[in-house]
Amino acid sequence: GGVFKMPKETPKKFPGEPPQKPEKADAQPMELLRYTALNKVEESTVKSVMDKTGSKIICSGQGVEEYKNPGDSLDKIVILAPTEAIKNAFASAGPAIDSTSLVFNFLGGDDLMMGEVLDAAKEMVLMMDIATKAKISFNSLCHESIPCGTCAVTVVSLGSGGDYDDGANGVEKSIAAGEVYLRDGTYMTVQESEINTALA
């Protein structure tokens, strides 16, 4: 693998699936997707789509990376933003035992590390009361408009689809798929039509 620079203002997303059980192999991202925009969404739009699909936000939280004084020890003590975000989210999490499909959405700045997100996603699976047969997936999205050293996580429980129009597209289609990022009271998502194929 090599090192490559992304154009500014290009949201980058790694979708994947964390292991449901601790004895399973480590989670791996499936692919890198690059988008031309990160879209802010009105809360009423999120609520409307989720009402139609029977989906709901189980919890959300935010975390900040922090370095602590190690004292007499020579080891650095680093509190990672994704880890803090899931702890913050779990503190107000609703029940998930009846959920058959869950989506963990992580949003951070350009310094958001995939390894840290994978570790946080695995830890959250263990923290939450999730049915053994539930399907779990995650999205890790970074964008330069989000401050470095921060991370937000939003956990969505997907419904059966209800009376939602399968022909819908754009941000509503993304929300229906459970891809919602909540940070500082603002809802955001990306949409399939804005995948930057020129950078693929």
Side-chain angles (χ1 to χ4, degrees):
V3 177
F4 54 91
K5 296 193 71 172
M6 298 289 188
K8 288 183 178 292
E9 293 298 336
T10 300
K12 286 86 67 178
K13 182 181 78 173
F14 283 98
E17 295 182 1
Q20 176 110 10
K21 297 180 180 178
E23 66 269 18
K24 286 193 177 182
D26 286 345
Q28 293 293 332
M30 293 179 178
E31 59 185 329
L32 168 64
L33 298 174
R34 287 163 280 191
Y35 294 80
T36 58
L38 176 62
N39 300 280
K40 291 184 179 180
V41 187
E42 293 291 334
E43 182 178 3
S44 58
T45 300
V46 175
K47 186 176 185 306
S48 174
V49 174
M50 289 195 168
D51 284 347
K52 290 176 181 177
T53 58
S55 302
K56 62 182 176 180
I57 294 176
I58 295 289
C59 59
S60 63
Q62 295 180 204
V64 178
E65 188 170 300
E66 182 181 350
Y67 291 83
K68 287 196 170 183
N69 188 336
D72 295 333
S73 171
L74 296 178
D75 296 328
K76 287 183 179 179
I77 300 175
V78 182
I79 299 175
L80 301 175
T83 302
E84 286 301 290
I86 65 168
K87 290 178 181 177
N88 180 252
F90 182 71
S92 59
I97 191 64
D98 293 329
S99 299
T100 58
S101 184
L102 292 164
V103 184
F104 298 171
N105 298 298
F106 291 87
L107 175 65
D110 275 344
D111 64 338
L112 186 64
M113 302 295 292
M114 175 51 59
E116 296 174 5
V117 170
L118 290 174
D119 288 342
K122 289 185 286 186
E123 187 175 344
M124 194 155 200
V125 169
L126 299 177
M127 290 168 62
M128 297 182 70
D129 190 12
I130 298 173
T132 305
K133 294 183 179 181
K135 178 184 176 183
I136 304 171
S137 60
F138 75 88
N139 295 304
S140 176
L141 184 70
C142 59
H143 191 253
E144 71 167 13
S145 65
I146 307 300
C148 287
T150 69
C151 180
V153 61
T154 308
V155 179
V156 177
S157 172
L158 292 178
S160 60
D163 58 357
Y164 189 73
D165 181 8
D166 289 336
N169 50 36
V171 296
E172 291 189 4
K173 184 176 180 179
S174 297
I175 296 168
E179 188 167 4
V180 178
Y181 305 90
L182 176 58
R183 186 183 189 281
D184 292 339
T186 299
Y187 292 90
M188 290 168 273
T189 193
V190 288
Q191 53 184 325
E192 187 177 358
S193 64
E194 292 178 340
I195 292 177
N196 196 337
T197 55
L199 297 174

